[in-house]
Amino acid sequence: MTLLKGVSRLIPDANVLLRGVVGQGLAKELYAAFTRSEVRFIVSAELMAELNRILTYPRVIKLGRGITPSIAFGLGLELMYLSEFFPTVARYEWPSLNDSNDWYLLDLLFESGADGLITQDKQLLEAGRLLGMPVFELKQARNLGLF
């Protein structure tokens, strides 16, 4: 794993980010580590667009104490200010992953050389296993000391 001064470089998927912001379990710990600069998040324009899109879902707005416009704005600012941002990422085809909407996350993982992609998405986890890529569930990433 390539660590930047002992800091893990991690790609959180949008759902992990949202759970972290509203304070749910290990996702909250991961997000807190990010805000303390103990973890460096790797984000792309596509990940930010995905986050922007799902922040408008009524079920997302109701998460935790509620995702207000100010919380969403704060999340965007923190991500842009504290993360390593990849504005463009090469596109690849990942036949091991049925949902081509999630290919951008594997593209970002491959291009950025991040230490891992953190997700609860079973298809992404399986694709990572099949491809030998560092795709982890929150608990596994925690146990590996990535945050």
Side-chain angles (χ1 to χ4, degrees), residues 17-100:
L17 274 172
L18 289 176
R19 283 198 303 274
V21 168
V22 298
Q24 296 180 355
L26 287 175
K28 179 181 178 178
E29 285 185 42
L30 174 63
Y31 195 78
F34 163 69
T35 60
R36 292 188 306 265
S37 298
E38 296 168 0
V39 168
R40 167 87 41 102
F41 281 170
I42 308 298
V43 298
S44 66
E46 279 188 275
L47 179 55
M48 296 298 287
E50 171 75 2
L51 188 58
N52 183 53
R53 186 176 61 78
I54 65 175
L55 278 169
T56 63
Y57 294 174
R59 65 182 160 80
V60 170
I61 292 168
K62 294 176 186 174
L63 283 174
R65 64 185 182 275
I67 302 282
T68 64
S70 65
I71 290 172
F73 182 75
L75 171 62
L77 280 179
E78 282 182 333
L79 288 173
M80 292 304 295
Y81 185 68
L82 299 174
S83 296
E84 189 174 329
F85 183 67
F86 282 73
T88 57
V89 177
R91 299 295 295 180
Y92 300 94
E93 290 189 21
W94 304 98
S96 300
L97 184 59
N98 294 332
D99 186 358
S100 60

